[in-house]
Amino acid sequence: MGKTKDKSGPLARRPDNSAFKQQRLPAWSPMLTANTVLPFFYLLAVVCMLLGVWLLLLVQSTQEIKLDYTDLGNCNECFDLRRNVSNAAQACSCRVEFSIDKSLKGDVFFYYGLKNFHQNLRRYMDSRDDGQTLGRIKILKNPSTYCAPFDKDKYGVPIAPCGAVANSMFNDSFSLTYHLSSGRSVPVPLLRTGLTWYTDKNVKFRNPRTDNLTLAEVFEGTRPPLYWQTPVYSLDPRDPNNNGFINEDLIVWMREAAFPNFKKLYGILNRADPNFEKGLPKGNYSIDISYNFPVQHFQGRKGVVLTTLTWFGGQNHFLPIAYLVTSSLILLAAVVLTVAWWKFGKDGKNMKE
Amino acid sequence: MSKEDFESGLTWEVKANSRRYHKHKQRKSFLCFTRGRYSDNVVRSHKYSLLTFLPLTLFEQFQRAANVYFLLMVVLQCVPAISSIPWYITIIPLLVVLSVRGLKDLASDMARRRCDSEINSRPCDVLVSQSFMTAQWKDVCVGDVLRIRRDQIIPADLLLLSSSEPHSLCYVETADIDGETNLKYRQALDATHNELTSHPSEEALGAFNGIVLCEEPNNRLYTFRGQLQWQGECFLLENEHVLLRGTVLRNTDFAYGLTIYTGADTKILRNCGKLRVKRTQLEEVFNKVVIGIVLSVLLAALLLAIGAGVSSYQVMTQTSFLSALVVDGNPAYNGFLVYWSYIILLSPAMPIALYITFEVIHTIHSKFIGWDLEMYWQQTDKPAEARNTSLSEELGQVGYLLSDKTGTLTQNRLLFRQCCVAGQIYGDASVSAEDVKPMDLSWNPFSSGGLRMFSPTLVETLRGQRCPVATQFLSALALCHTVMAEWKEGFPVYQAASPDEETLVGAARELGWVFLSRTRDFVVVSELGATRQYQLLALLDFTSKRRRMSVLVRDPEGGLKLYCKGADVVILERLQKNCPHQESTEMALELFAEACLRTLCVAVRSVPEALWERWSKTLALSAAMATCERDTLLEKLYDEMERDLLLLGVTAIEDRLQEGVPETIALLQEAGIKVWVLTGDKKETAVNIGYSCKLLHPESRLLEWQELRQILQSADPQVSFFKAKQTELWATHKEMARAKTSVVLTGSELAEFEERPEWGASFMSLAEQCQSVLCCRVTPAQKAEIVKLVRKHTASITMSIGDGANDVNMIKTAHIGVGLAGREGGQAVHNADFAVSQFRFLQRLLLVHGRWSYRRISLFLCYFLFKTCGFALVHIWFGILNGFSAQSLYETWFIALYTVFYTATPVMCMAFFEQFSTTRPMTTRPWRSLSRWLRPSLLQLRL
């Protein structure tokens, strides 16, 4: 603006002859003709097809074993036992057996899975106090009202960790055993730490400052969620550093799943063991389950998943199938267009109008 | 104040040199309470002050439904039970939009404030106790006596008391008020002139104690009524005694004036009325879409809430540990809360940033119009201008172009080509203006060339004084006008309000009748070297309604003469009976019209002394009457004087077509735009111009009034219309026949039209099938009526283009008004939405900028709605998976920044730069079917 004012003389108000002001910036306007569009359609179909096939192969290369143990085998008894809430305190364990036909090579991940469990309900998702799990000492004993009615018990004792999310934590535990053909059984070692991200364990979840006190003393004056059997400071009896709010199972559970059917990481195969250096060999396996989590109440199912991963993730068929479907739709459209062009528009009449 | 003052409406009282009296009554305002009568001379065009900015801007902005909607959302989000996303998430886009808009308003307000203070602190000389002191404009007060120097801008509306020139004449330039650059003269009353210039002026002015009684402040620029009571006498005041604020004093060393109106009471400030806000059709479509979006959001939320109720009922009965989360254990109540939560969650579907983006885009598009080199007119250094920035996309939808002829289609560079004196035609228009042999005018010292007429016989007749009619004819040309003469290097330079007058006076000068100067009472003319002074008794001015003007002069011999010139119809009906040469003159008129020349008839009347005395007395009486009464009386009076005329002759002026007009009209017609021409000219002239600018095809059939009326009167106009066409054109192609019919109407026929409103619709449906419509002999008011007719009976966008004050009505009435920045003042441009310098620039304006803008904005709207709706629709889908609990799928900050940050630029870039195709094929192959796909695509988006 200031530039135009500086000018004087007879042509002072002459507009600048710049590409922007004269709207002459490089522009490209494709002339869509059959000769340009049809090859493009075919090309796109081929590209999608190739991508789809490639991803499908990639996904197929991962191995996955799914096991729904809700009422499998002798878990049936536990399933019935858990139907009644008053039996919650009774321990129940069961064993499921399965065999692996083809060895799982590489890192093997052990998941537990739930079906029809809506972790994505808004009021459920909001029912937590991030301040508390962040280790703020003040909030520890004074949880937010978002946790209601899981913020305090009926005596007014604050719950730690509060809220519906923590309260409903998945509390089955598993131990995997490998049965060699010789009849000998070897427990399969699972790493139960390293399941979370760095930011989870060090930023989002922290224990309250202990200052020479034990963790149990810090949590004094709070009580564990109603459905919990053990307090939060003794969730992992074997590893004292995996207790309190930084317990990895808790952290994994607290990251709510977006969909009602989900799986969450339970452990990773420890390949330091010489038997499992290359992954899980084929053979018979069994899982001993401490069966605590009731699923009847939400018509759910639960299970475990053993899988290997690629860079693409686990065995997820959505993307390859989406590519293949898209590819076939484009191909169909291309064929229809070709026919139409062949029959009606070949002489270019439609371009004139 | 006496009772009769009230009756005549003169209730504004100003006492000269009594500052204290007026200061006491000065208007003071606090908030909305005002007290006092006279406003001060401070311009306050700014809207906001430090205190009022925030409330005012918020008030203005929350008049937009979208903003209120979002405010409601913020309020809803503060209720914890229903806030599905945190409250700060919605307030961020809202704040961004509000602050962008607020800052824009603030910036323009600051600019106005700076401009105001610059104006308010301009210096002027105020008389304080018998000496002039330099003060600032804002200190000027009603009743002050001011001294204005040469080339100074006048700070308030003044009563001219005296000036440094003889007769206390002074000249003003009114370019700022009406855009006309010619000088106008103003003159003081004789009384004040005589009394106040004889003494040393300061003393006399300091002692001046007159009282002015005049009308209340109003916005009528060209009338003023009042009286000056001084020394026991009462003098009538008129417009010519008043210097208006904003005009510039020229050619006068000093002028002294008494301040009458100041500040907000001045005529110019009263005149800057509120701008009419024109809304585009697209905006209306868009508003409907927004309402649709709101309704569908509410509906979706309702359905989702029902889903939430049902699912929470299931949770209640089946899932023990979640049942505690159902509020109050009541699924219905839970569903009710979820309803509000979903309204919040789906609120991003409401395009909050759309209005502001829309404005930005409109502004840029308008800038593009101004920046276009192809619409820049080098000769006058004028680029095109979009004065109304919000109409750019309407340009692409214009269906009817209603154009003025003179100055719009033609150059308005007038050349005196022919004349007919006493039935004898001089000059030859068939020779083009460049090829005319120059006549030998060396005998005339004032001749400066430029006369494009070759007629030695006329010169001989004149020099030999053989024909008294010819002599009178030229005297009339030299006397009957309102031209001002300015002397530069020994030559008179004429400054005229209308180019016609300038041409005629110029032609008279070339032929030896040189208009030398004018004072209030005298006109000095050199007739073939002999200087004669005519006393100017009355000037019966030109109005578009009267279509004539006259001067009443007393020649040096003492005879009273009325010279009248005007449109042929008006003059011919006022001629005395058995006027000689009438028939031959009428034939000449026809000839001139065929050659596309503009004609004016010139006539004379010798006025008996007795008639003049009687007449002037009545005239003097009229000055004291109220405006409307006076106007009717004046009309009658003038009519009385302008009769029994003796026809002297006819002037014929050529007005050539502008460059590129035929091509432009042909192209616009090809683009499906109906071009109508509305002109005040004669039918023959108009039809000829129509042919030459390709508005009418040489083979096209002209449908005139008689036939048209028959068609309109018939039971089924359509059928008769086709019959009428088929009688002649049955043999040829039907398609051809459709395109080649044009309607020609005249003003009087249109008047008949207005009496039969039921004809309007059928006429429009006929006009739709005609190639063009030509209306001649129409008044400015009728032009506007025609525009209204078109607007009423078609859904198309109408566009008016014109260049003169007579087109202002039409320009204001149409959807889009285009002013041609030509030679006839700036009034048309001032009232227009767009200003261009040449008619042919319309091509680019309509077919390039208009279509681009239309397409860009349509795409932009679709894109914008797509992105906002797409964003919100995800939540409906996600609701199915999460038990309709109004859980957001997105991270909260993403929602906040989505519209205002992440997706703002692509949509804007598209709206700025999208080019449908290159400019070339577009101007040659227009395409206007956008509205056909726009609406369905908007619908699709909603689905």
Side-chain angles (χ1 to χ4, degrees):
Chain A
M1 295 289 119
K3 222 169 109 189
T4 49
K5 272 180 193 162
D6 297 340
K7 287 193 285 184
S8 58
L11 302 180
R13 298 173 63 196
R14 185 191 170 89
D16 291 343
N17 189 4
S18 66
F20 172 66
K21 290 190 174 177
Q22 299 308 316
Q23 306 200 58
R24 274 189 279 100
L25 289 173
W28 179 65
S29 157
M31 281 301 287
L32 299 179
T33 62
N35 289 335
T36 55
V37 170
L38 287 178
F40 183 75
F41 264 68
Y42 285 110
L43 184 74
L44 207 62
V46 168
V47 166
C48 285
M49 177 89 74
L50 290 177
L51 265 174
V53 168
W54 176 52
L55 287 177
L56 195 65
L57 290 177
L58 195 70
V59 166
Q60 290 294 350
S61 75
T62 63
Q63 283 169 287
E64 192 181 63
I65 287 151
K66 281 184 179 167
L67 207 61
D68 183 341
Y69 67 87
T70 318
D71 46 7
L72 192 70
N74 61 352
C75 290
N76 205 1
E77 293 162 23
C78 297
F79 179 67
D80 290 334
L81 184 74
R82 292 287 171 241
R83 196 184 291 275
N84 193 341
V85 183
S86 56
N87 299 329
Q90 284 181 40
C92 181
S93 57
C94 60
R95 161 178 279 221
V96 286
E97 289 174 352
F98 64 100
S99 64
I100 296 176
D101 303 330
K102 214 177 142 198
S103 60
L104 274 64
K105 293 199 181 91
D107 285 331
V108 178
F109 294 80
F110 189 103
Y111 296 91
Y112 59 87
L114 285 174
K115 277 186 178 163
N116 202 27
F117 188 90
H118 286 264
Q119 262 202 318
N120 54 11
L121 281 176
R122 181 168 60 87
R123 297 190 59 80
Y124 177 88
M125 288 184 91
D126 287 347
S127 182
R128 59 191 284 167
D129 189 343
D130 289 333
Q132 195 186 39
T133 51
L134 206 57
R136 301 232 166 95
I137 206 87
K138 272 184 200 160
I139 304 175
L140 178 68
K141 287 176 187 165
N142 191 15
S144 138
T145 50
Y146 276 101
C147 284
F150 302 105
D151 52 346
K152 287 170 184 168
D153 68 2
K154 55 189 169 197
Y155 308 109
V157 182
I159 295 171
C162 74
V165 186
N167 189 41
S168 61
M169 187 173 144
F170 186 78
N171 52 0
D172 285 7
S173 55
F174 310 95
S175 56
L176 186 62
T177 318
Y178 175 42
H179 303 284
L180 294 168
S181 47
S182 59
R184 201 163 59 90
S185 299
V186 184
V188 179
L190 290 177
L191 291 173
R192 300 277 282 112
T193 52
L195 312 178
T196 54
W197 296 345
Y198 174 86
T199 46
D200 284 336
K201 197 147 181 169
N202 297 285
V203 181
K204 281 179 78 181
F205 292 86
R206 264 177 295 178
N207 276 327
R209 286 235 319 250
T210 46
D211 296 331
N212 303 329
L213 298 172
T214 62
L215 210 51
E217 284 166 331
V218 173
F219 278 98
E220 202 159 310
T222 66
R223 60 153 298 169
L226 303 170
Y227 295 173
W228 285 22
Q229 312 296 337
T230 50
V232 69
Y233 49 82
S234 56
L235 278 173
D236 190 345
R238 284 161 299 185
D239 184 357
N241 289 327
N242 192 21
N243 270 322
F245 294 141
I246 55 169
N247 178 271
E248 303 222 353
D249 286 337
L250 178 68
I251 295 173
V252 168
W253 180 256
M254 292 290 275
R255 188 189 294 136
E256 296 114 329
F259 298 108
N261 303 336
F262 58 90
K263 63 178 196 266
K264 282 180 185 284
L265 192 56
Y266 182 78
I268 305 166
L269 176 69
N270 189 353
R271 285 165 68 191
D273 191 302
N275 284 322
F276 305 105
E277 249 173 10
K278 288 178 185 162
L280 284 180
K282 63 181 182 182
N284 293 325
Y285 290 84
S286 67
I287 304 172
D288 291 301
I289 302 158
S290 147
Y291 198 116
N292 299 316
F293 197 77
V295 291
Q296 298 89 336
H297 306 297
F298 53 94
Q299 288 91 46
R301 311 287 297 175
K302 53 185 180 178
V304 290
V305 179
L306 279 164
T307 181
T308 59
L309 295 186
T310 61
W311 62 266
F312 186 65
Q315 205 168 56
N316 185 346
H317 285 92
F318 177 79
L319 206 56
I321 288 175
Y323 267 115
L324 289 175
V325 169
T326 314
S327 149
S328 42
L329 285 179
I330 294 172
L331 193 64
L332 188 72
V335 168
V336 169
L337 287 177
T338 313
V339 170
W341 170 67
W342 197 265
K343 284 213 129 178
F344 306 110
K346 215 177 159 193
D347 51 357
K349 232 190 261 169
N350 54 345
M351 296 307 297
K352 276 182 204 157
E353 209 216 335
Chain B
M1 260 170 278
S2 62
K3 201 177 159 218
E4 58 195 275
D5 289 339
F6 272 110
E7 273 167 8
S8 58
L10 304 179
T11 52
W12 186 263
E13 189 184 19
V14 178
K15 288 183 183 169
N17 287 318
S18 55
R19 209 176 183 149
R20 276 184 54 207
Y21 169 77
H22 296 288
K23 257 275 188 293
H24 180 66
K25 283 181 146 187
Q26 204 162 63
R27 193 178 301 159
K28 296 194 178 61
S29 69
F30 176 72
L31 293 178
C32 48
F33 306 102
T34 49
R35 192 168 57 82
R37 194 165 157 73
Y38 306 104
S39 65
D40 50 9
N41 203 30
V42 183
V43 186
R44 294 182 192 83
S45 58
H46 54 91
K47 273 197 291 193
Y48 309 120
S49 71
L50 204 64
L51 234 118
T52 56
F53 170 67
L54 210 59
L56 273 182
T57 184
L58 286 181
F59 176 71
E60 272 166 30
Q61 297 198 43
F62 280 117
Q63 287 174 340
R64 280 250 152 94
N67 291 345
V68 178
Y69 182 83
F70 266 71
L71 187 71
L72 239 120
M73 290 301 115
V74 175
V75 172
L76 279 179
Q77 278 170 352
C78 293
V79 183
I82 59 173
S83 81
S84 43
I85 36 181
W87 62 274
Y88 52 83
I89 295 309
T90 313
I91 211 164
I92 285 169
L94 183 66
L95 277 184
V96 169
V97 166
L98 289 184
S99 52
V100 166
R101 186 61 203 263
L103 285 178
K104 187 187 152 212
D105 286 352
L106 189 68
S108 57
D109 204 55
M110 296 286 261
R112 275 199 293 269
R113 205 173 252 272
R114 259 198 306 279
C115 182
D116 283 354
S117 80
E118 193 258 316
I119 290 173
N120 287 334
S121 56
R122 279 184 195 158
C124 69
D125 296 340
V126 180
L127 183 70
V128 179
S129 56
Q130 313 223 333
S131 68
F132 280 101
M133 313 254 284
T134 304
Q136 293 187 329
W137 277 30
K138 61 181 174 208
D139 301 326
V140 172
C141 176
V142 172
D144 283 351
V145 174
L146 304 184
R147 178 174 63 185
I148 312 294
R149 294 161 201 267
R150 180 190 283 263
D151 297 339
Q152 242 183 4
I153 305 170
I154 292 162
D157 289 356
L158 306 178
L159 170 70
L160 181 61
L161 294 176
S162 64
S163 79
S164 54
E165 304 295 301
H167 304 285
S168 282
L169 264 180
C170 74
Y171 298 90
V172 287
E173 191 188 281
T174 57
D176 278 0
I177 290 187
D178 52 15
E180 292 172 16
T181 49
N182 60 309
L183 297 185
K184 303 194 172 74
Y185 71 89
R186 295 285 182 264
Q187 192 167 28
L189 287 170
D190 281 337
T192 55
H193 168 68
N194 294 336
E195 295 286 329
L196 299 177
T197 41
S198 50
H199 302 282
S201 52
E202 275 90 350
E203 223 169 87
L205 288 167
F208 177 66
N209 60 351
I211 294 175
V212 174
L213 286 177
C214 59
E215 298 170 299
E216 289 288 309
N218 56 51
N219 61 0
R220 293 187 289 274
L221 284 175
Y222 304 106
T223 60
F224 176 80
R225 268 174 355 99
Q227 43 183 292
L228 171 67
Q229 292 172 354
W230 185 39
Q231 295 176 339
E233 277 186 79
C234 184
F235 308 93
L236 288 178
L237 300 178
E238 277 192 65
N239 195 31
E240 64 165 13
H241 303 125
V242 177
L243 303 174
L244 296 183
R245 180 185 172 127
T247 55
V248 184
L249 193 71
R250 300 275 188 214
N251 293 0
T252 314
D253 290 331
F254 287 112
Y256 300 101
L258 167 69
T259 315
I260 306 171
Y261 302 127
T262 50
D265 297 330
T266 54
K267 301 227 175 207
I268 184 170
L269 287 182
R270 286 266 160 168
N271 236 300
C272 44
K274 286 179 184 72
L275 259 178
R276 201 163 38 102
V277 181
K278 286 184 179 176
R279 288 174 88 194
T280 65
Q281 288 192 332
L282 215 58
E283 240 174 297
E284 277 160 29
V285 170
F286 169 68
N287 281 341
K288 281 180 201 149
V289 170
V290 165
I291 292 170
I293 289 175
V294 171
L295 289 181
S296 42
V297 162
L298 294 183
L299 185 73
L302 185 70
L303 292 177
L304 290 165
I306 291 171
V310 171
S311 81
S312 54
Y313 173 73
Q314 282 176 347
V315 166
M316 281 273 297
T317 48
Q318 289 155 4
T319 316
S320 58
F321 76 97
L322 281 176
S323 64
L325 292 172
V326 177
V327 183
D328 291 351
N330 183 349
Y333 182 59
N334 201 41
F336 172 75
L337 290 183
V338 164
Y339 175 68
W340 296 106
S341 305
Y342 263 116
I343 287 180
I344 296 172
L345 198 62
L346 296 179
S347 65
M350 183 80 179
I352 183 178
L354 194 130
Y355 288 101
I356 189 99
T357 326
F358 210 50
E359 263 172 47
V360 172
I361 289 166
H362 268 141
T363 314
I364 294 285
H365 285 182
S366 312
K367 288 260 184 249
F368 277 140
I369 290 174
W371 284 333
D372 196 338
L373 264 179
E374 287 184 41
M375 295 203 290
Y376 167 73
W377 185 237
Q378 212 155 10
Q379 292 184 7
T380 52
D381 187 30
K382 271 182 190 152
E385 187 188 359
R387 297 172 55 83
N388 185 340
T389 56
S390 62
L391 289 176
S392 51
E393 87 269 11
E394 296 264 286
L395 288 174
Q397 297 162 275
V398 170
Y400 282 86
L401 174 69
L402 298 108
S403 170
D404 174 41
K405 184 184 79 67
T406 314
T408 308
L409 299 179
T410 60
Q411 287 178 338
N412 214 9
R413 264 192 23 215
L414 305 178
L415 301 172
F416 188 83
R417 294 300 309 278
Q418 278 185 305
C419 62
C420 165
V421 183
Q424 184 83 38
I425 296 176
Y426 300 97
D428 183 5
S430 57
V431 187
S432 88
E434 281 80 21
D435 302 338
V436 170
K437 271 187 281 176
M439 282 196 286
D440 178 28
L441 296 170
S442 52
W443 49 269
N444 181 1
F446 290 107
S447 165
S448 61
L451 185 66
R452 300 280 181 204
M453 187 170 97
F454 184 75
S455 172
T457 44
L458 178 64
V459 177
E460 269 168 41
T461 320
L462 288 172
R463 292 191 71 186
Q465 310 242 348
R466 265 175 261 159
C467 174
V469 178
T471 326
Q472 290 235 28
F473 179 73
L474 278 159
S475 299
L477 291 190
L479 287 170
C480 179
H481 54 76
T482 54
V483 175
M484 308 290 306
E486 206 179 337
W487 285 81
K488 276 187 187 151
E489 293 154 17
F491 272 101
V493 175
Y494 297 138
Q495 295 209 327
S498 96
D500 285 277
E501 287 199 327
E502 194 183 331
T503 317
L504 291 178
V505 177
R509 178 184 66 189
E510 297 299 312
L511 294 171
W513 266 254
V514 188
F515 164 64
L516 295 175
S517 68
R518 155 199 304 279
T519 60
R520 196 187 63 152
D521 294 329
F522 292 98
V523 176
V524 187
V525 177
S526 153
E527 291 177 2
L528 293 172
T531 308
R532 282 158 70 87
Q533 182 168 323
Y534 290 85
Q535 193 188 355
L536 186 62
L537 298 175
L539 199 148
L540 286 55
D541 50 358
F542 178 88
T543 64
S544 57
K545 204 173 153 201
R546 281 163 37 79
R547 293 163 65 192
R548 61 183 183 270
M549 77 161 287
S550 313
V551 284
L552 189 61
V553 292
R554 190 187 293 278
D555 60 30
E557 286 78 41
L560 282 174
K561 284 262 170 62
L562 177 89
Y563 290 106
C564 181
K565 74 169 186 215
D568 46 5
V569 215
V570 190
I571 302 290
L572 289 178
E573 71 185 21
R574 276 160 218 285
L575 293 183
Q576 62 195 55
K577 274 184 198 142
N578 308 322
C579 183
H581 315 303
Q582 188 168 354
E583 247 170 66
S584 51
T585 310
E586 276 175 36
M587 273 174 59
L589 274 170
E590 250 168 66
L591 270 175
F592 292 157
E594 270 165 33
C596 304
L597 298 175
R598 271 155 76 139
T599 53
L600 278 177
C601 285
V602 181
V604 72
R605 179 188 184 188
S606 299
V607 182
E609 198 76 31
L611 176 66
W612 154 244
E613 267 167 30
R614 189 157 42 80
W615 191 81
S616 62
K617 263 182 206 149
T618 336
L619 188 69
L621 271 180
S622 74
M625 295 168 74
T627 321
C628 62
E629 275 177 61
R630 202 175 81 161
D631 286 349
T632 44
L633 183 77
L634 278 184
E635 200 177 319
K636 232 178 82 188
L637 264 178
Y638 286 178
D639 198 52
E640 209 172 288
M641 185 52 88
E642 291 162 329
R643 58 175 56 162
D644 292 336
L645 299 173
L646 177 73
L647 186 65
L648 291 174
V650 177
T651 61
I653 298 171
E654 188 187 56
D655 188 6
R656 275 186 296 167
L657 280 183
Q658 279 183 19
E659 210 181 312
V661 167
E663 292 81 4
T664 308
I665 288 184
L667 197 64
L668 292 179
Q669 285 186 335
E670 200 190 324
I673 299 173
K674 299 271 173 202
V675 183
W676 293 25
V677 171
L678 318 176
T679 173
D681 276 348
K682 291 175 45 164
K683 191 158 139 193
E684 290 74 19
T685 319
V687 169
N688 282 325
I689 289 277
Y691 281 124
S692 62
C693 68
K694 290 200 180 154
L695 181 72
L696 306 176
H697 198 269
E699 291 155 28
S700 72
R701 205 170 102 69
L702 297 187
L703 195 62
E704 295 193 19
W705 179 242
Q706 292 304 326
E707 210 172 342
L708 186 69
R709 187 157 67 176
Q710 277 171 17
I711 293 173
L712 290 175
Q713 277 171 341
S714 67
D716 190 348
Q718 286 293 331
V719 173
S720 354
F721 177 62
F722 277 112
K723 265 191 201 148
K725 279 200 301 191
Q726 282 160 5
T727 48
E728 282 177 29
L729 294 156
W730 180 243
T732 55
H733 302 285
K734 233 179 170 183
E735 286 291 305
M736 291 282 282
R738 277 181 85 91
K740 299 284 164 59
T741 311
S742 302
V743 177
V744 179
L745 288 175
T746 63
S748 54
E749 291 154 7
L750 274 168
E752 194 175 335
F753 224 92
E754 275 150 33
E755 291 160 20
R756 307 283 291 268
E758 72 273 10
W759 285 0
S762 41
F763 171 68
M764 277 313 298
S765 67
L766 290 187
E768 200 127 309
Q769 297 175 24
C770 292
Q771 191 192 18
S772 55
V773 175
L774 194 66
C775 302
C776 19
R777 290 278 182 229
V778 288
T779 61
Q782 274 178 328
K783 287 184 181 181
E785 286 297 320
I786 295 167
V787 177
K788 266 186 211 152
L789 184 80
V790 177
R791 277 190 73 153
K792 193 174 157 197
H793 295 290
T794 61
S796 311
I797 304 278
T798 55
M799 176 191 241
S800 297
I801 178 166
D803 73 321
N806 59 343
D807 306 316
V808 169
N809 261 334
M810 161 170 106
I811 285 173
K812 280 177 149 175
T813 317
H815 288 106
I816 311 173
V818 179
L820 215 69
R823 286 154 64 85
E824 267 188 54
Q827 285 223 44
V829 170
H830 277 281
N831 290 292
D833 302 312
F834 294 91
V836 292
S837 302
Q838 290 280 297
F839 184 80
R840 66 165 194 275
F841 292 163
L842 275 188
Q843 270 181 49
R844 202 162 157 85
L845 188 69
L846 291 179
L847 301 180
V848 178
H849 287 281
R851 282 177 55 211
W852 272 356
S853 189
Y854 186 26
R855 187 179 161 87
R856 284 169 182 172
I857 285 174
S858 312
L859 279 178
F860 156 76
L861 281 183
C862 290
Y863 191 179
F864 206 99
L865 295 178
F866 164 71
K867 83 173 192 183
T868 51
C869 291
F871 190 66
L873 282 177
V874 169
H875 286 126
I876 297 180
W877 168 75
F878 188 53
I880 298 167
L881 291 171
N882 66 14
F884 308 103
S885 61
Q887 172 60 41
S888 159
L889 182 64
Y890 304 120
E891 210 277 321
T892 45
W893 282 99
F894 183 66
I895 300 177
L897 298 177
Y898 179 78
T899 9
V900 292
F901 185 70
Y902 295 136
T903 58
T905 31
V907 89
M908 292 233 269
C909 285
M910 196 207 65
F912 293 158
F913 303 121
E914 165 73 10
Q915 295 193 358
F916 170 50
S917 59
T918 52
T919 46
R920 222 20 68 201
M922 231 188 338
T923 36
T924 52
R925 239 188 59 193
W927 168 90
R928 307 195 313 116
S929 63
L930 199 63
S931 58
R932 254 174 266 156
W933 70 261
L934 175 73
R935 277 158 215 234
S937 62
L938 283 178
L939 274 175
Q940 274 167 12
L941 271 182
R942 253 187 286 170
L943 292 172

